[in-house]
Structure formats: C-alpha cells, structure tokens
Amino acid sequence: MMNIRIIGSGSYIPPHKITNADFADHLFLDENGQPFKQPASVIEKFKAITGIEERRYADADQIYADGAGAVVVEGSTTEQGLLSYESATYALEEAEYLNFGSSYQQEQDPDIRYIKMKGRKIYEFALSKVPLAMQACLQKADLDITAIKKILIHQANEKMDEAILMRFYALYDTVPPPDIMPMTIHTLGNSSVATIPTLYDLISRGQIDNQSLHEGDIILFASVGAGMNINAFVYRV
C-alpha cells in the first residue's frame, strides 16, 4: 500500500530577538479605545497565558513572530509514514473567532485592519474539539495511546496546549508522560503555520534539549487555527 513519508526537513529562525520587555513603551488599548494604566500588567498577563517570553522577527514592527519551516515528502511502500489523519472545519459563528478589524484607536484609518481574536472563545473551542480529533485520529491508526512517543502541536499558546494535552490523556483515564510534548513558544513565539515543521526539524537535528526521534517512533501531530480548522495525523518515523 502506498504511503507518504518525510524524507527531509528544514527551518529558518530569524536573527532579530524581541523580548516582552521591548513592548514596555507600547500603547495598549481596551475595546473602548482607552489605554491601560499599567502596560506592564498587560505584558505579564500575555506571558502567563501564552508562555511567550521572546520571539524572532525578520523585520521590525511585527505582531506574532517570523520563521519558516518545511518538510519534503515522497511516496513509500514501507511501514514508515502517515498512518491516519483527521480534519474538521467549524465555520459558522467560529469563523469570527479570529478575524481582521479596525484599530481600537479612534483616530486610526478605519480601512487598516488588524488581527482581532476572541481569546476565550478560541480557548474553549480548542479544549472541546482538538482532544477529540486527536483521539479519532489515533483510533483510525488502531493504536493505543501508550504507543505515542511524541506529540507535536501548533505553538499558539502554552497554557492552551497543555490543557489540550491533559484533556486528550483524560479521554484514556491517564496522564501524559514527561517531555512528550516539546515546546518552542517560549523563545520563538507563534510563527503561524511554521511552528510544527520548525519543531519537527529542530528535534530531528537534535536542537532541542532532551528531545529526540528514533526509527519506529509514533508521533501525533495536531493543530487548531483560524476558520476554525482542526487537523491531526499519526506518523511513524
């Protein structure tokens, strides 16, 4: 039976490192366009929620983080490669959870759009849907949860990712093993679709402490993003 396997990977980490402290002199506005009196508290809350301490930019004045990651795949008849996948789209009210909107600063050009996020809605959505997609994907592969060696998940929010992990393992009445879900969000931030291939590449090249992949290992990949869209797949190294 023809399969798909990864035969190579690569990633680019931009040179400019921006820490949370670099945002200390920025203006933060609430939904009514009023400035927060203590910007430092906004930064600390952001760190507590996301786990992001610094991020990398190719140029200045970015919002999330820059970076690039990719894998090269080929058809294969070996036991290695893609074992199963699960995809789902929720695009009714969920479509507006992440969108473009005008600035909260009244004097700004209303035609200029900025990323707007209903954070609590996305958090609750992810916790209710992603673990189930991961479970369905594992069931399609006819594997027990104990077979998983690594879980590589989109680096959007550390708190959310950890909660997803706990809920996934709770579906099997167990808890996740130590170090099963490596994270790069602390230092690389959220580079959108590049987070998972970058994570895979860094582990493959031994660039993350205490993390490695070996032939035969089972990896569960998972992501959630704007749309809202969920994807998961099981892969044998």
Side-chain angles (χ1 to χ4, degrees):
M1 179 177 177
M2 183 61 70
N3 200 355
I4 298 173
R5 70 184 183 102
I6 298 172
I7 60 172
S9 64
S11 60
Y12 168 70
I13 309 298
H16 301 294
K17 184 185 297 184
I18 306 297
T19 68
N20 289 345
D22 293 316
F23 292 91
D25 60 349
H26 281 222
L27 178 66
F28 295 95
L29 304 176
D30 63 21
E31 292 183 1
N32 297 314
Q34 298 300 310
F36 284 94
K37 296 180 180 179
Q38 296 180 320
S41 65
V42 177
I43 296 172
E44 285 302 313
K45 185 174 182 180
F46 173 81
K47 175 184 174 181
I49 293 174
T50 66
I52 297 175
E53 299 176 8
E54 59 187 46
R55 71 283 292 147
R56 301 298 184 96
Y57 292 154
D59 296 302
D61 300 324
Q62 300 295 311
I63 297 176
Y64 280 70
D66 282 338
V71 297
V72 179
V73 300
E74 71 172 6
S76 172
T77 56
T78 70
E79 293 183 353
Q80 296 172 308
L82 181 70
L83 301 182
S84 64
Y85 69 90
E86 180 75 10
S87 296
T89 296
Y90 298 84
L92 295 176
E93 65 176 280
E94 298 88 356
E96 296 299 317
Y97 288 176
L98 190 64
N99 58 73
F100 281 115
S102 57
S103 172
Y104 291 142
Q105 203 165 8
Q106 301 295 329
E107 59 270 25
Q108 291 291 324
D109 185 345
D111 292 329
I112 297 178
R113 293 291 188 251
Y114 300 85
I115 295 176
K116 302 286 184 175
M117 179 185 298
K118 296 180 180 178
R120 171 54 60 177
K121 290 285 189 180
I122 292 175
Y123 183 85
E124 293 172 349
F125 171 85
L127 263 60
S128 65
K129 304 296 185 183
V130 178
L132 295 176
M134 295 164 68
Q135 182 187 43
C137 192
L138 194 61
Q139 289 173 343
K140 287 181 179 179
D142 195 25
L143 292 171
D144 186 76
I145 193 170
T146 56
I148 300 174
K149 298 300 181 183
K150 289 289 176 235
I151 293 178
L152 305 189
I153 193 167
H154 171 47
Q155 306 288 289
N157 179 316
E158 182 181 46
K159 180 180 178 181
M160 183 176 75
D161 287 352
E162 290 178 344
I164 288 171
L165 183 71
M166 295 301 295
R167 289 206 179 187
F168 171 59
Y169 274 85
L171 295 172
Y172 297 86
D173 297 319
T174 187
V175 296
D179 300 323
I180 196 165
M181 187 178 73
M183 301 290 291
T184 57
I185 194 170
H186 305 97
T187 56
L188 300 184
N190 175 4
S191 56
S192 189
V193 295
T195 65
I196 290 181
T198 297
L199 184 58
Y200 176 85
D201 179 62
L202 293 176
I203 297 173
S204 297
R205 294 190 289 111
Q207 298 296 305
I208 299 181
D209 292 341
N210 304 315
Q211 297 290 342
S212 59
L213 298 172
H214 303 93
E215 185 174 338
D217 282 354
I218 299 296
I219 310 174
L220 176 56
F221 294 80
S223 68
V224 58
M228 298 292 292
N229 295 289
I230 296 171
N231 292 283
F233 69 91
V234 176
Y235 184 87
R236 178 182 285 119
V237 178

